[in-house]
Amino acid sequence: MALPGVGRDRLTIPAVAACGPSHYSRFMRIHVVSDVHGRADALTSAADGADVLICLGDLILFIDYHDHAQGIFAELFGQENAARFIGLRTEKRFDEAREFSRALWSSLEGDAWPHIERAVDRQYAELFSAMPAPAYLTYGNVDVPRMWGAHLKEGHRVLDGETTEIGGLRFGFVGGGLRTEYRTPYELDDDAYAAKVEAVGEVDVLCCHIPPDVPELLYDTVARRFERGSAAILDVIHRTQPRYVLFGHVHQPLASRMRIGRTECVNVGHFRARGVPYVLTV
Protein backbone atom coordinates (compact mmCIF):
# COMPACT_ATOMS: atom_id res chain seq x y z
CA MET A 1 0.00 0.00 0.00
CA ALA A 2 1.39 3.41 -0.96
CA LEU A 3 2.42 5.68 1.88
CA PRO A 4 0.53 8.96 2.14
CA GLY A 5 2.36 12.02 0.87
CA VAL A 6 5.16 10.17 -0.91
CA GLY A 7 6.30 12.14 -3.95
CA ARG A 8 9.48 12.93 -5.81
CA ASP A 9 10.55 15.67 -3.42
CA ARG A 10 8.38 15.08 -0.40
CA LEU A 11 7.87 12.32 2.14
CA THR A 12 5.10 12.39 4.71
CA ILE A 13 4.81 10.28 7.85
CA PRO A 14 1.48 10.86 9.65
CA ALA A 15 1.92 11.24 13.40
CA VAL A 16 -0.83 9.50 15.37
CA ALA A 17 -2.24 11.49 18.26
CA ALA A 18 -3.02 9.97 21.64
CA CYS A 19 -6.76 10.19 21.01
CA GLY A 20 -6.67 7.25 18.61
CA PRO A 21 -5.43 5.96 15.28
CA SER A 22 -8.05 7.84 13.24
CA HIS A 23 -6.78 11.28 14.35
CA TYR A 24 -3.56 12.98 13.34
CA SER A 25 -1.48 15.54 15.18
CA ARG A 26 0.17 18.56 13.58
CA PHE A 27 2.78 17.66 11.00
CA MET A 28 6.35 18.76 11.55
CA ARG A 29 8.08 19.89 8.35
CA ILE A 30 11.77 18.96 7.99
CA HIS A 31 14.00 20.12 5.15
CA VAL A 32 16.98 17.92 4.25
CA VAL A 33 20.07 18.92 2.24
CA SER A 34 23.28 17.17 1.28
CA ASP A 35 26.33 17.95 -0.85
CA VAL A 36 26.12 21.69 -0.32
CA HIS A 37 29.62 22.21 -1.77
CA GLY A 38 29.81 25.94 -1.22
CA ARG A 39 26.19 26.99 -1.99
CA ALA A 40 25.96 29.48 0.87
CA ASP A 41 23.62 31.63 -1.23
CA ALA A 42 20.97 28.88 -1.38
CA LEU A 43 21.63 27.62 2.13
CA THR A 44 20.29 30.81 3.71
CA SER A 45 16.75 29.95 2.56
CA ALA A 46 17.00 26.15 2.82
CA ALA A 47 14.86 26.07 5.97
CA ASP A 48 12.21 28.54 4.82
CA GLY A 49 8.82 27.15 5.84
CA ALA A 50 10.39 24.30 7.83
CA ASP A 51 10.48 23.56 11.54
CA VAL A 52 14.03 22.21 11.33
CA LEU A 53 16.84 21.61 8.85
CA ILE A 54 18.92 18.44 8.47
CA CYS A 55 22.26 18.66 6.65
CA LEU A 56 23.99 15.45 5.55
CA GLY A 57 27.38 16.99 4.90
CA ASP A 58 29.90 17.82 2.19
CA LEU A 59 29.78 21.53 2.89
CA ILE A 60 33.03 22.62 1.30
CA LEU A 61 33.91 22.80 -2.39
CA PHE A 62 37.43 21.57 -2.98
CA ILE A 63 37.13 20.97 -6.71
CA ASP A 64 34.24 21.44 -9.12
CA TYR A 65 33.92 18.83 -11.87
CA HIS A 66 31.43 21.02 -13.77
CA ASP A 67 33.01 24.46 -13.41
CA HIS A 68 36.76 24.03 -13.20
CA ALA A 69 37.21 27.65 -12.11
CA GLN A 70 35.44 27.00 -8.81
CA GLY A 71 36.74 25.45 -5.59
CA ILE A 72 39.84 25.52 -3.44
CA PHE A 73 42.07 23.74 -5.97
CA ALA A 74 41.30 26.31 -8.69
CA GLU A 75 41.67 29.13 -6.19
CA LEU A 76 45.21 27.99 -5.41
CA PHE A 77 46.39 26.72 -8.81
CA GLY A 78 44.11 28.18 -11.47
CA GLN A 79 41.41 26.81 -13.76
CA GLU A 80 43.78 25.17 -16.26
CA ASN A 81 45.53 23.09 -13.61
CA ALA A 82 42.20 22.19 -12.03
CA ALA A 83 40.93 20.96 -15.41
CA ARG A 84 44.06 18.85 -15.88
CA PHE A 85 43.73 17.31 -12.41
CA ILE A 86 40.02 16.58 -12.94
CA GLY A 87 40.78 14.97 -16.29
CA LEU A 88 43.33 12.58 -14.77
CA ARG A 89 40.98 11.56 -11.98
CA THR A 90 38.05 11.12 -14.35
CA GLU A 91 40.20 8.79 -16.46
CA LYS A 92 41.09 6.92 -13.25
CA ARG A 93 44.78 7.73 -13.71
CA PHE A 94 45.08 8.21 -9.97
CA ASP A 95 48.86 7.80 -9.66
CA GLU A 96 49.42 10.46 -12.33
CA ALA A 97 46.86 12.72 -10.67
CA ARG A 98 48.66 12.40 -7.34
CA GLU A 99 52.04 13.16 -8.92
CA PHE A 100 50.60 16.18 -10.71
CA SER A 101 48.96 17.38 -7.50
CA ARG A 102 52.14 16.88 -5.46
CA ALA A 103 54.10 18.99 -7.92
CA LEU A 104 51.58 21.80 -7.62
CA TRP A 105 51.51 21.68 -3.82
CA SER A 106 55.30 21.73 -3.68
CA SER A 107 55.27 24.99 -5.64
CA LEU A 108 53.57 26.75 -2.73
CA GLU A 109 55.46 28.33 0.13
CA GLY A 110 55.73 25.93 3.07
CA ASP A 111 53.59 22.84 3.65
CA ALA A 112 50.40 22.28 1.71
CA TRP A 113 48.02 21.88 4.64
CA PRO A 114 48.12 25.48 5.97
CA HIS A 115 47.05 26.71 2.53
CA ILE A 116 44.19 24.21 2.42
CA GLU A 117 43.16 24.93 6.00
CA ARG A 118 42.90 28.68 5.42
CA ALA A 119 40.73 28.14 2.34
CA VAL A 120 38.54 25.56 4.11
CA ASP A 121 38.16 27.85 7.12
CA ARG A 122 36.99 30.71 4.89
CA GLN A 123 34.37 28.47 3.29
CA TYR A 124 33.17 27.13 6.63
CA ALA A 125 32.86 30.66 8.02
CA GLU A 126 30.59 31.63 5.12
CA LEU A 127 28.59 28.40 5.10
CA PHE A 128 27.88 28.19 8.82
CA SER A 129 26.95 31.86 8.86
CA ALA A 130 24.37 31.03 6.18
CA MET A 131 23.23 27.78 7.85
CA PRO A 132 19.75 28.20 9.39
CA ALA A 133 18.95 27.11 12.94
CA PRO A 134 17.73 24.86 14.35
CA ALA A 135 19.68 22.31 12.34
CA TYR A 136 20.93 18.77 12.81
CA LEU A 137 24.15 18.07 10.95
CA THR A 138 26.48 15.21 10.14
CA TYR A 139 29.72 15.13 8.17
CA GLY A 140 30.32 14.29 4.54
CA ASN A 141 33.43 12.58 3.21
CA VAL A 142 34.98 15.87 2.04
CA ASP A 143 34.40 17.63 5.36
CA VAL A 144 37.03 18.26 8.04
CA PRO A 145 35.22 17.50 11.32
CA ARG A 146 37.72 19.14 13.65
CA MET A 147 37.19 22.49 11.91
CA TRP A 148 33.42 22.65 12.42
CA GLY A 149 33.42 23.57 16.11
CA ALA A 150 34.70 27.10 15.65
CA HIS A 151 31.85 27.95 13.28
CA LEU A 152 28.77 26.30 14.79
CA LYS A 153 25.98 28.63 15.87
CA GLU A 154 23.42 28.27 18.64
CA GLY A 155 20.85 25.76 17.47
CA HIS A 156 23.30 23.70 15.42
CA ARG A 157 23.68 20.12 16.65
CA VAL A 158 26.23 17.75 15.12
CA LEU A 159 25.60 13.99 15.38
CA ASP A 160 27.77 11.15 14.10
CA GLY A 161 27.00 7.61 15.23
CA GLU A 162 24.31 9.12 17.47
CA THR A 163 20.54 9.45 17.71
CA THR A 164 18.02 12.12 18.60
CA GLU A 165 14.24 12.58 18.61
CA ILE A 166 12.65 14.85 16.01
CA GLY A 167 8.88 15.18 15.71
CA GLY A 168 8.32 12.19 17.96
CA LEU A 169 10.48 9.86 15.84
CA ARG A 170 13.95 8.47 16.50
CA PHE A 171 16.54 9.73 13.99
CA GLY A 172 20.03 8.24 13.65
CA PHE A 173 23.00 9.99 12.05
CA VAL A 174 26.11 8.44 10.48
CA GLY A 175 28.63 10.80 8.86
CA GLY A 176 31.61 10.42 6.57
CA GLY A 177 32.43 7.97 3.79
CA LEU A 178 34.45 4.85 3.09
CA ARG A 179 38.02 4.54 1.81
CA THR A 180 38.47 5.35 -1.90
CA GLU A 181 41.17 6.24 -4.40
CA TYR A 182 40.14 9.87 -4.01
CA ARG A 183 41.42 10.03 -0.41
CA THR A 184 38.99 12.68 0.76
CA PRO A 185 39.38 14.03 4.31
CA TYR A 186 36.73 12.06 6.22
CA GLU A 187 36.99 8.52 4.84
CA LEU A 188 36.84 5.60 7.28
CA ASP A 189 37.75 1.93 7.27
CA ASP A 190 34.74 -0.31 6.72
CA ASP A 191 34.89 -1.66 10.29
CA ALA A 192 34.99 1.82 11.83
CA TYR A 193 32.06 2.96 9.72
CA ALA A 194 30.06 -0.19 10.53
CA ALA A 195 30.66 0.43 14.25
CA LYS A 196 28.97 3.83 13.96
CA VAL A 197 26.00 2.29 12.15
CA GLU A 198 25.72 -0.36 14.88
CA ALA A 199 25.95 2.32 17.60
CA VAL A 200 22.90 4.06 16.11
CA GLY A 201 20.89 0.85 16.28
CA GLU A 202 17.18 0.72 15.52
CA VAL A 203 15.68 4.04 14.42
CA ASP A 204 12.69 5.36 12.51
CA VAL A 205 14.81 7.48 10.14
CA LEU A 206 18.48 6.83 9.38
CA CYS A 207 20.39 9.86 8.03
CA CYS A 208 23.75 9.17 6.36
CA HIS A 209 26.02 10.89 3.90
CA ILE A 210 26.60 7.80 1.75
CA PRO A 211 23.96 5.39 0.41
CA PRO A 212 23.48 1.73 1.25
CA ASP A 213 25.47 -0.65 -0.94
CA VAL A 214 22.95 -1.00 -3.77
CA PRO A 215 24.27 -0.57 -7.35
CA GLU A 216 21.34 1.50 -8.62
CA LEU A 217 21.80 3.99 -5.77
CA LEU A 218 25.58 4.19 -6.25
CA TYR A 219 25.99 4.72 -9.99
CA ASP A 220 26.54 8.34 -11.07
CA THR A 221 25.15 8.73 -14.58
CA VAL A 222 27.19 11.84 -15.40
CA ALA A 223 30.52 10.82 -13.87
CA ARG A 224 29.88 7.30 -15.24
CA ARG A 225 31.23 5.55 -12.18
CA PHE A 226 30.08 3.75 -9.06
CA GLU A 227 30.59 5.53 -5.75
CA ARG A 228 31.14 3.50 -2.59
CA GLY A 229 28.12 2.59 -0.52
CA SER A 230 27.84 0.96 2.88
CA ALA A 231 27.15 -2.75 3.35
CA ALA A 232 26.57 -1.97 7.05
CA ILE A 233 23.72 0.40 6.18
CA LEU A 234 22.19 -2.19 3.87
CA ASP A 235 22.46 -4.80 6.59
CA VAL A 236 20.73 -2.61 9.17
CA ILE A 237 17.95 -1.91 6.66
CA HIS A 238 17.34 -5.64 6.28
CA ARG A 239 17.52 -6.27 10.04
CA THR A 240 15.61 -3.30 11.50
CA GLN A 241 13.55 -1.87 8.60
CA PRO A 242 13.65 1.87 9.44
CA ARG A 243 10.87 3.85 7.80
CA TYR A 244 13.34 5.92 5.81
CA VAL A 245 17.04 6.06 5.01
CA LEU A 246 18.09 9.50 3.75
CA PHE A 247 21.47 10.16 2.12
CA GLY A 248 23.34 12.11 -0.58
CA HIS A 249 26.89 11.68 -1.94
CA VAL A 250 25.96 10.46 -5.44
CA HIS A 251 25.21 13.64 -7.33
CA GLN A 252 23.41 12.21 -10.40
CA PRO A 253 22.20 8.78 -9.29
CA LEU A 254 20.76 6.17 -11.62
CA ALA A 255 17.97 5.77 -9.04
CA SER A 256 17.18 8.54 -6.57
CA ARG A 257 14.97 6.31 -4.43
CA MET A 258 14.25 2.64 -3.83
CA ARG A 259 12.08 0.57 -1.52
CA ILE A 260 13.84 -2.23 0.39
CA GLY A 261 11.22 -4.15 2.33
CA ARG A 262 9.37 -1.50 4.36
CA THR A 263 12.25 1.00 4.08
CA GLU A 264 12.14 3.90 1.63
CA CYS A 265 15.72 4.79 0.61
CA VAL A 266 15.99 8.36 -0.72
CA ASN A 267 18.84 10.38 -2.21
CA VAL A 268 17.88 13.88 -1.06
CA GLY A 269 19.60 15.52 -4.01
CA HIS A 270 22.72 17.45 -4.98
CA PHE A 271 22.11 20.75 -3.19
CA ARG A 272 24.90 22.60 -5.00
CA ALA A 273 23.18 21.95 -8.32
CA ARG A 274 19.53 22.12 -7.24
CA GLY A 275 19.61 24.77 -4.53
CA VAL A 276 16.41 23.41 -2.93
CA PRO A 277 15.96 21.03 0.02
CA TYR A 278 14.17 17.69 0.20
CA VAL A 279 10.97 17.88 2.24
CA LEU A 280 10.02 15.35 4.91
CA THR A 281 6.96 15.83 7.15
CA VAL A 282 6.49 13.82 10.32
Side-chain angles (χ1 to χ4, degrees):
M1 180 170 59
L3 290 174
V6 173
R8 177 174 174 81
D9 294 308
R10 187 183 182 96
L11 296 174
T12 303
I13 309 171
V16 180
C19 56
S22 62
H23 298 82
Y24 297 105
S25 65
R26 174 189 177 274
F27 286 121
M28 182 176 191
R29 183 181 175 106
I30 301 170
H31 287 185
V32 190
V33 301
S34 185
D35 300 271
V36 176
H37 294 302
R39 280 297 305 271
D41 62 320
L43 194 58
T44 58
S45 59
D48 286 0
D51 295 289
V52 69
L53 178 72
I54 291 176
C55 179
L56 304 181
D58 270 13
L59 295 180
I60 64 170
L61 180 66
F62 184 75
I63 196 161
D64 193 326
Y65 279 70
H66 297 284
D67 183 352
H68 300 168
Q70 300 298 313
I72 292 170
F73 197 93
E75 178 185 327
L76 292 172
F77 303 118
Q79 180 176 351
E80 186 175 333
N81 284 324
R84 170 66 175 160
F85 182 63
I86 290 167
L88 291 170
R89 291 177 66 166
T90 301
E91 295 167 12
K92 294 182 168 54
R93 294 157 63 185
F94 296 112
D95 290 339
E96 292 177 64
R98 279 191 284 272
E99 286 300 321
F100 179 67
S101 176
R102 271 195 287 267
L104 291 174
W105 290 115
S106 67
S107 70
L108 298 176
E109 182 179 349
D111 295 332
W113 178 247
H115 295 276
I116 299 172
E117 190 173 57
R118 284 192 291 270
V120 169
D121 194 62
R122 285 195 297 271
Q123 285 196 17
Y124 277 153
E126 181 181 11
L127 288 159
F128 279 103
S129 178
M131 182 81 68
Y136 297 88
L137 307 94
T138 198
Y139 310 111
N141 61 292
V142 302
D143 285 312
V144 185
R146 68 174 181 80
M147 295 182 68
W148 279 28
H151 300 290
L152 294 171
K153 298 188 301 190
E154 185 177 355
H156 291 168
R157 184 177 176 189
V158 181
L159 300 108
D160 188 13
E162 301 164 278
T163 63
T164 191
E165 185 177 301
I166 305 173
L169 297 178
R170 187 174 178 85
F171 281 66
F173 291 80
V174 181
L178 297 171
R179 301 286 182 197
T180 69
E181 290 283 357
Y182 299 100
R183 301 183 183 181
T184 50
Y186 193 41
E187 293 183 352
L188 302 167
D189 293 334
D190 287 41
D191 289 348
Y193 190 91
K196 291 199 298 182
V197 176
E198 195 63 28
V200 165
E202 188 169 347
V203 293
D204 297 297
V205 182
L206 180 58
C207 300
C208 317
H209 179 68
I210 63 173
D213 189 12
V214 178
E216 294 88 343
L217 300 175
L218 298 178
Y219 187 72
D220 190 306
T221 59
V222 174
R224 297 184 180 180
R225 66 168 185 254
F226 286 96
E227 301 290 353
R228 284 208 67 192
S230 169
I233 294 173
L234 183 58
D235 178 63
V236 84
I237 290 171
H238 287 305
R239 287 190 291 110
T240 70
Q241 290 281 279
R243 297 188 187 191
Y244 297 100
V245 175
L246 309 178
F247 51 87
H249 189 56
V250 182
H251 294 175
Q252 299 91 15
L254 180 65
S256 61
R257 63 193 302 156
M258 175 181 291
R259 178 67 67 87
I260 302 175
R262 296 191 303 272
T263 301
E264 189 78 12
C265 301
V266 182
N267 186 319
V268 301
H270 181 202
F271 188 74
R272 175 169 177 78
R274 297 179 63 198
V276 294
Y278 198 87
V279 178
L280 172 70
T281 53
V282 301

